[in-house]
Every structure is written in C-alpha cells, then in structure tokens.
Amino acid sequence: MSTNIQQLAEVDRIIHEPARLMVVALLAAVKEADFQYLHQSTRLTKGNLSVHLSKLEEAGYVAIEKTFRGKYPLTMCRLTERGREVLDGYRRVIKAAL
Amino acid sequence: MTNSSCPQLGDPNAMAKRLIQSAHNRDGLPEIAMGLTFLFVGALSLAQVLLPRGSAGFKTAVFGLAFLAPVLCIGAPQAVKWVRRRYLIERVGYVESKPLGRKGMGMMIGLAFVVATVMSLALFAAVTRFSPAVTRFSHPDRWVLAGTGLLGGALAALCGKLPRFVVGGVLMAVAGILTAFSGVSLQIGFAMLFGFTGLLALVSGGVVFFRFIRQPAEPGE
C-alpha cells in the first residue's frame, strides 16, 4: 500500500492537471476531434484550451493538424500512442493508490 | 481555469463518455431524428388498423413498417451526422468516433440476443406458467406493449444520461404500462405508444435545437 501511495508522487504531471486530463480522456474516447468540439465539450475557455493543447503537443501526447473542411478551418487533435500509454499508466497508478 | 465548473477527477473513461454523450445530445438533433422515426412507426401501425385489410394502402403500411422502420433506425444517426457536418460544424465542431471493433460489435449482438431472450421468456411465462388462462392482464399483447415501454424507457434513460432523457424514459415506461392495460389492440397500442414517445422526443429535441441555434456561433480556432 505504501509503495502504491509513493507512486503517486511520480504520476505524469502533464496529464495530472485536471483540464489536460479532461482533454486527454476525451481524445482517448474518440478517433479524432477538432478544437471547437473540445472547446464545447470541456467548456474550457479557448485561450486555456489552446495553451493546454500546446503543452500536450510539446510532450508528444497529442498530435495537432490544421486542415480545412470546405471554408471552415479545422484544428484536428488526436491522442498519440505515447499519450495513450501515459494515460493508461496514470490510470493504473491512481487506481492502485486510491 | 474554466468558464464553468471542472468535473471532479475520477475515472477518465467514464468522464470522457459523459462529456461525449452530453456533447452528442447538445443540439437536440438525435431526439428530433428519434421522434420522427417513432412518429413514422406509430403512423404506419395506425394505418394498418384504419385501412381495409388487403388494400394497397394496408400493404404499403405493412411493407413500410417491415422495411423502412429498420432502415430509418440505422439511417437516422447517419442523417444527424450529415446535417451536423453540412450545416452545424461551426457550432458543434467535428468529431470522428472510434470504429466499433469486434468487442463492441460482439457486445451489441449479445445485448440484442439477451433482450430478445428475456422478452420471449417473459411472454412465455405470462401466458403459460403464471396464468393458466389468457386473461386481459396475461394476454401476450399486454406484455409486449408494457415491455416495449419499459425497455425503451430504460434504454433512453441509461443511454441519454441527461435529466431530460431520464424524464422521457420514465414517461415512455408509464405510457407503455398504461397503454398495455387499457385494453386496446396491439397495433393501436403501438400507435399510441410510439406516437406519444415520438411527439415527446420531437418537442423536446425541437426546444433544445431552437435554444442551441439561438446561441451566437463562435469562430473556430
């Protein structure tokens, strides 16, 4: 039990932040989603969401691609394999400890 | 951090599913599609009672119910997807769901099998073991109607995961039970049940859609 508790100190801090965890969890449940969908679903402000997505992209957890669908600009986001692994690891640690 | 409250930290999968479900029903389109499908089924059930047997209208109603109803059930979600991508993408955003996969498909088939088995057993029990004589209350038609209302209501409440779906589900279940034991024939009962549920879903979805469309659209990122 104490080992499990100690593991909490080593959780990935990038996805431990609630807003980023929300984004990662959402992306884990779909194939891909655009910025507007994430904004509507998470209710994060656009500025906040943009910053969190940048951090997740820098860490290699989320892949972002800017495209168009007709005239509508789409910022498509999807969880990378690395992001999926980190989320699974995070879940395991939290489940074991709490 | 957020412009509304942030969900509590919990199982990320459950959280994501809740968010996706709520986003899916945000514009009321699924309810409108479901309402139209139910009204269509209800109207065809009623047509079978009102039109003379063997007439062209009667045959059309029978074939319509047999072939078009399943097509509508499968096609309605696709139509909702198309309308969203064609007209509402700036408001709802774009999302591509994960393919169902073997496990998901297996679960769907398994669930359909379990539901069919339970309904058949309930019918069998109603007319044989628990009631030796077929009475007004043990007639299979009664249980089919009540079962449809209860099952539909439970599915709406469980799948929708929003208060308005729970209220709609309860109303459908109550309507199913009331219709079942009101003494009407199976087809009239189906017409009443699906007509009521369809109208309820259409009105509820229409109100949600109207409120959704009145919100100012924000430009994408």
Side-chain angles (χ1 to χ4, degrees):
Chain A
M1 183 67 191
S2 65
T3 318
N4 291 339
I5 284 289
Q6 283 157 14
Q7 279 182 339
L8 277 177
E10 291 158 23
V11 292
D12 189 299
R13 282 165 196 270
I14 291 177
I15 67 163
H16 183 59
E17 201 284 326
R20 284 198 287 271
L21 180 60
M22 195 156 50
V23 172
V24 169
L26 253 176
L27 288 176
V30 299
K31 194 176 165 194
E32 55 185 358
D34 82 333
F35 185 91
Q36 181 68 6
Y37 183 84
L38 292 174
H39 164 60
Q40 292 278 343
S41 305
T42 60
R43 302 272 177 193
L44 288 165
T45 61
K46 288 195 170 184
N48 258 320
L49 179 58
S50 191
V51 170
H52 288 310
L53 278 173
S54 298
K55 283 188 182 170
L56 289 167
E57 190 186 23
E58 274 171 32
Y61 298 169
V62 167
I64 298 175
E65 190 188 351
K66 291 189 186 265
T67 59
F68 279 87
R69 191 174 183 89
K71 288 177 186 172
Y72 179 68
L74 283 179
T75 303
M76 296 302 298
C77 311
R78 63 175 176 78
L79 202 62
T80 60
E81 268 310 305
R82 170 94 185 109
R84 213 168 285 279
E85 283 167 15
V86 170
L87 179 65
D88 286 343
Y90 178 82
R91 285 185 62 192
R92 272 198 301 274
V93 170
I94 295 284
K95 263 190 174 175
L98 302 178
Chain B
M1 185 193 69
T2 63
N3 52 10
S4 75
S5 60
C6 198
Q8 279 190 322
L9 189 61
D11 180 6
N13 262 347
M15 185 173 75
K17 278 179 187 157
R18 242 189 347 261
L19 283 170
I20 287 168
Q21 193 64 42
S22 128
H24 178 65
N25 294 311
R26 192 174 45 219
D27 56 14
L29 283 181
E31 278 160 282
I32 292 175
M34 191 180 80
L36 290 174
T37 306
F38 277 8
L39 280 176
F40 178 77
V41 171
L44 288 185
S45 293
L46 191 63
Q48 288 180 29
V49 180
L50 297 179
L51 295 170
R53 263 182 191 277
S55 67
F58 179 83
K59 284 175 189 164
T60 310
V62 171
F63 283 115
L65 199 58
F67 294 108
L68 285 180
V71 169
L72 267 178
C73 288
I74 296 165
Q78 301 303 320
V80 167
K81 219 177 198 181
W82 182 82
V83 170
R84 277 185 183 145
R85 288 185 184 176
R86 181 78 178 79
Y87 300 105
L88 298 171
I89 195 164
E90 287 179 36
R91 287 173 182 273
V92 299
Y94 176 88
V95 64
E96 186 70 49
S97 305
K98 274 184 184 171
L100 204 53
R102 275 189 182 178
K103 195 181 168 189
M105 192 65 86
M107 279 178 72
M108 288 280 282
I109 293 169
L111 184 69
F113 181 76
V114 168
V115 168
T117 309
V118 168
M119 288 289 279
S120 307
L121 286 176
L123 273 175
F124 182 74
V127 294
T128 55
R129 188 175 171 190
F130 297 117
S131 53
V134 175
T135 65
R136 181 180 168 181
F137 292 105
S138 69
H139 195 283
D141 289 2
R142 309 277 81 87
W143 293 100
V144 169
L145 278 169
T148 305
L150 286 168
L151 197 70
L155 278 176
L158 290 173
C159 299
K161 290 191 178 76
L162 290 173
R164 67 176 195 272
F165 283 95
V166 176
V167 172
V170 169
L171 287 175
M172 185 178 183
V174 171
I177 293 165
L178 289 178
T179 313
F181 299 108
S182 65
V184 294
S185 71
L186 184 67
Q187 279 163 326
I188 295 265
F190 268 136
M192 286 167 69
L193 178 62
F194 283 114
F196 169 74
T197 313
L199 209 57
L200 192 71
L202 199 61
V203 169
S204 161
V207 170
V208 172
F209 182 73
F210 184 67
R211 288 177 63 179
F212 177 78
I213 216 78
R214 282 187 69 186
Q215 290 169 2
E218 297 172 67
E221 181 78 354

